[in-house]
Amino acid sequence: MAGARSRNFEGWPLFANSFRPFFLLAAIQAGLSILAWLPMFYGELSVSSAFAPRDWHVHEMLYGFLPAVITGFLFTAIPNWTGRLPIQGTSLGALLVVWLAGRFAVTLSADIGWAFALVVDAAFLALVVAAATREIIAGGNWRNLPVVVLVLVLLAGNVAFHLEAHFEGAADVSIRVGIGVVVLLISLIGGRIIPSFTRNWLVKFNPGRLPVPFGRFDGAVIGLSALALIAWIVAPLNMITGAVMALVGVLHLVRFARWAGDRTTRERLLLILHVGYVFVPLGFLLHALAVFGALPPSAGIHAWIAGAAGTMTLAVMTRASLGHTGQALTASPATQGIYAAIIVAALARVAAVVLPAHGDILLHIAACGWVVAFLGFAIAFGPLLAGSPRRALAIMGVPAPAR
């Protein structure tokens, strides 16, 4: 019902669905932020932010880019959950302006003041939480309220980030809070959509062994993941934290093995979801190794953010952009190139921590892969999201359907 109503929107198609502007601008912001970050890292560029360069980079990935993708997904999914009309048109445009204002406020916070920047930046997630809560309660869809609770925790982490950066000189705990929320969102949402999408495709194109649907085991793994992440937030290098991280990492691998991902190699649009999820258990296991002194702590962080978050966001963004605009659910050559670029970026970023002797070259490879992946998405999918599907299909290398 909601999808049909959305198709009758009479304005610019970019504002017909939440995923359209938020996926597009999030991808552009993700690519441009890394283009700026590399020269900032080497001291060749500076911005007028009250944050230290590292904190600006972390914030704009964790509390800038990812909330935009989450919002695009959330407000596209909620009408399907509740049967209510989607947020579109002027309301959607206003929400987008608030997100953009936050990006400028954070980058110019040294000039406009850290407290004002905090208010402007935090306003976006506050509005998202309020609107999502209203829609879920009005639709009586209590089952999905935990997703909104996690977004509320992400809002709290964003506020704490500004406070820590100002009063302590650098963000610390608030970074782990944000990462923990992202990992749980991927575990929760990915654990529902990956086996579901896989089952639907296998039944149609590759009959045989099917994934195990979301059940009690999945709920237990997510619950234990939450406990492990809380322990990591509070005491990241504690031995008990390390042991729990190792256990949860193994449980996520068991969970992943139940989804029949090995049977999806013929369709990269589906396979990439499984590849992205592998970085979740990898992050837990790398953190466990870090606790016991085998690796630097940042290895697991980059597995989660560059690997799990980077890959899963592109997997969801490409699939939703195709599916919700009526295109075939298959990965074009351009889409496969985007996937290859983000996998290279994720592996190189983790390797840069594990192999510090080759850190510089690996860091450049990771940055280039990330920029190619996200700006590549903006170039290939931008026309589709803005309402020009034929142009988008031409860019992707997909033959346009006959009239």
Side-chain angles (χ1 to χ4, degrees):
M1 180 183 299
R5 292 175 183 170
S6 177
R7 286 194 293 271
N8 293 331
F9 179 71
E10 295 181 354
W12 185 15
L14 185 67
F15 294 99
N17 314 89
S18 297
F19 71 89
R20 292 174 181 266
F22 278 112
F23 285 0
L24 179 57
L25 290 186
I28 293 172
Q29 191 251 358
L32 294 181
S33 292
I34 295 302
L35 277 178
W37 164 239
L38 210 57
M40 288 174 67
F41 179 76
Y42 288 103
E44 299 166 354
L45 177 69
S46 62
V47 295
S48 298
S49 177
F51 292 155
R54 185 214 65 152
D55 281 359
W56 177 87
H57 163 64
V58 172
H59 184 276
E60 287 308 281
M61 289 293 100
L62 193 55
Y63 293 111
F65 154 65
L66 286 172
V69 178
I70 291 167
T71 300
F73 171 83
L74 189 60
F75 287 133
T76 302
I78 284 177
N80 294 326
W81 296 345
T82 64
R84 290 171 58 81
L85 281 168
I87 295 175
Q88 55 187 190
T90 303
S91 298
L92 179 57
L95 192 61
L96 189 68
V97 167
V98 174
W99 177 76
L100 287 169
R103 311 287 55 77
F104 284 106
V106 167
T107 301
L108 302 174
S109 54
D111 297 325
I112 66 176
W114 74 273
F116 181 68
L118 185 163
V119 172
V120 174
D121 184 41
F124 174 70
L125 278 174
L127 289 172
V128 170
V129 169
T133 302
R134 179 198 67 197
E135 292 299 303
I136 286 178
I137 291 175
N141 188 260
W142 303 100
R143 174 174 173 265
N144 289 298
L145 198 58
V147 175
V148 180
V149 172
L150 286 174
V151 178
L152 179 61
V153 177
L154 192 64
L155 167 61
N158 190 19
V159 172
F161 191 107
H162 285 265
L163 295 174
E164 270 195 306
H166 179 72
F167 291 107
E168 303 294 332
D172 180 31
V173 174
S174 55
I175 294 176
R176 294 196 293 276
V177 169
I179 293 172
V181 169
V182 170
V183 173
L184 285 177
L185 282 170
I186 293 172
S187 301
L188 179 61
I189 296 171
R192 292 188 181 277
I193 66 173
I194 296 174
S196 175
F197 293 162
T198 301
R199 173 179 288 270
N200 293 342
W201 185 83
L202 288 175
V203 166
K204 186 180 296 186
F205 296 107
N206 194 12
R209 176 170 52 90
L210 297 176
V212 179
F214 192 98
R216 291 183 179 179
F217 175 75
D218 300 271
V221 173
I222 292 172
L224 288 172
S225 299
L227 292 176
L229 290 166
I230 291 170
W232 174 65
I233 291 168
V234 175
L237 297 179
N238 183 277
M239 291 297 180
I240 296 176
T241 300
V244 176
M245 284 277 185
L247 171 63
V248 171
V250 171
L251 290 175
H252 273 284
L253 285 176
V254 173
R255 187 187 191 206
F256 169 78
R258 291 152 46 100
W259 293 341
D262 58 295
R263 304 191 64 235
T264 65
T265 54
R266 284 164 42 195
E267 181 46 73
R268 273 59 170 188
L269 195 73
L270 191 57
L271 178 63
I272 192 64
L273 289 165
H274 294 268
V275 173
Y277 196 87
V278 168
F279 286 98
V280 172
L282 180 62
F284 279 105
L285 295 173
L286 290 176
H287 279 302
L289 290 172
V291 169
F292 297 106
L295 291 173
S298 60
I301 290 175
H302 290 302
W304 277 336
I305 298 304
T311 307
M312 288 295 288
T313 53
L314 280 169
V316 170
M317 286 159 63
T318 50
R319 186 183 185 91
S321 297
L322 293 172
H324 287 281
T325 57
Q327 309 305 315
L329 287 176
T330 189
S332 68
T335 304
Q336 293 182 52
I338 290 168
Y339 294 162
I342 193 60
I343 292 170
V344 167
L347 293 175
R349 191 63 190 90
V350 174
V353 178
V354 177
L355 304 170
H358 306 285
D360 276 354
I361 184 63
L362 288 168
L363 192 62
H364 281 79
I365 292 172
C368 288
W370 181 278
V371 170
V372 168
F374 282 95
L375 293 188
F377 172 87
I379 292 169
F381 283 81
L384 181 65
L385 297 172
S388 301
R390 284 186 171 271
R391 182 181 175 194
L393 293 176
I395 293 172
M396 294 181 201
V398 178
R403 289 177 180 261

